[in-house]
Amino acid sequence: MAITDWPITERPREKLLKIGAKNLSDTELLAIFLRTGIAGKSAVDLARNLLNHYGSLSSLFSAERSSLCNFPGIGIAKYTQLQAVLEMSRRTLGEKLEHSNALNTPQLVRDFLYLHLSNKQHEVFMGIFLDAKHHMITAEELFSGTLTQASVYPREVVKRALHHNAAAIIFAHNHPSGIAEPSHADKALTCALTKALDLIDIKVLDHFIIGKNEIMSFAEQNLI
């Protein structure tokens, strides 16, 4: 049955307008994005098939281009639309951070970092450079590596912090394994970076580890 034949109260778009996007299921939200289905399947059916195949929205968003484009009903057009939506979301959160005190909006920082790093297939080390009011100056992916590690050089981090005239910095990196637990190396690196930046009066506010469904904060664990 086509969605247009459904009761109005059950159609995803109409439900969104009536009760708000946050009250819709992942399948319904994805169906609205897809707009159309394929022969014999509605947009809701296609959305359900996608989520069943990839397991979650997060895994779907991080799927390889070739995988998504070859999925029946997706193709290059919907793939590019999805990438545009994800990038607009990242930029929206970035704009909010530019006008917010990072210490006073910890959830905003977490959301920003999760959207940037949770779907990476290799380890990426990132810095959020902040001014004296803890507003974001910029965010940069500083180093990238393999599935298990990225080589980070404190000297290069110091150079980037001076370049941006930063007063403080928040670090983050992802664990492609999905487990947001700090290793011995993570703790040693954080200590080395903190000491190096202390010499030029730049404070390290936190270091986040991003897993698949969780975020670990060094500051909250009293590791910084």
Side-chain angles (χ1 to χ4, degrees):
M1 183 185 294
I3 292 177
T4 52
D5 295 327
W6 293 11
I8 291 179
T9 56
E10 295 301 315
R11 300 175 191 173
R13 279 184 292 185
E14 283 72 9
K15 284 181 69 175
L16 185 149
L17 292 172
K18 184 175 181 179
I19 63 176
K22 66 180 180 180
N23 294 306
L24 269 63
S25 67
D26 290 350
T27 298
E28 290 170 325
L29 291 170
L30 186 56
I32 292 172
F33 167 78
L34 294 171
R35 294 182 59 243
T36 59
I38 55 178
K41 292 183 179 180
S42 68
V44 172
D45 294 327
L46 179 55
R48 187 177 296 112
N49 288 349
L50 278 164
L51 290 173
N52 287 339
H53 180 79
Y54 289 104
S56 67
L57 283 175
S58 179
S59 295
L60 168 63
F61 293 159
S62 63
E64 295 289 339
R65 172 179 170 178
S66 59
S67 175
L68 267 179
C69 288
N70 288 326
F71 197 95
I74 301 302
I76 191 67
K78 284 189 171 68
Y79 173 81
T80 55
Q81 289 170 1
L82 178 60
Q83 298 310 305
V85 168
L86 290 173
E87 182 58 27
M88 285 190 290
S89 299
R90 295 185 189 102
R91 294 186 187 189
T92 297
L93 291 176
E95 288 173 3
K96 289 182 179 179
L97 270 178
E98 289 173 2
H99 299 94
S100 303
N101 184 311
L103 288 181
N104 295 336
T105 53
Q107 190 57 50
L108 177 59
V109 175
R110 287 171 176 267
D111 291 344
F112 177 80
L113 292 171
Y114 189 81
L115 195 56
H116 270 271
L117 295 175
S118 64
N119 297 322
K120 299 288 188 181
Q121 301 301 314
H122 54 278
E123 192 165 302
V124 173
F125 190 87
M126 184 174 182
I128 299 179
F129 298 92
L130 307 167
D131 63 18
K133 294 183 178 180
H134 294 159
H135 295 179
M136 185 177 78
I137 300 169
T138 191
E140 288 185 2
E141 292 186 6
L142 298 168
F143 306 96
S144 62
T146 65
L147 284 171
T148 57
Q149 65 179 355
S151 296
V152 179
Y153 302 98
R155 179 180 177 181
E156 296 303 314
V157 174
V158 168
K159 286 170 62 176
R160 296 309 296 163
L162 290 172
H163 172 79
H164 293 301
N165 195 29
I169 189 167
I170 294 172
F171 294 117
H173 76 278
N174 63 311
H175 280 180
S177 66
I179 301 172
E181 288 293 330
S183 65
H184 252 321
D186 292 333
K187 294 176 183 178
L189 172 63
T190 304
C191 183
L193 289 170
T194 300
K195 289 180 178 178
L197 289 162
D198 273 345
L199 294 173
I200 53 173
D201 294 323
I202 296 176
K203 184 171 180 58
V204 177
L205 300 182
D206 209 339
H207 183 174
F208 291 95
I209 298 178
I210 313 300
K212 285 297 182 184
N213 297 300
E214 59 180 335
I215 301 176
M216 178 268 175
S217 160
F218 273 64
E220 289 179 2
Q221 299 296 322
N222 296 316
L223 295 174
I224 227 172

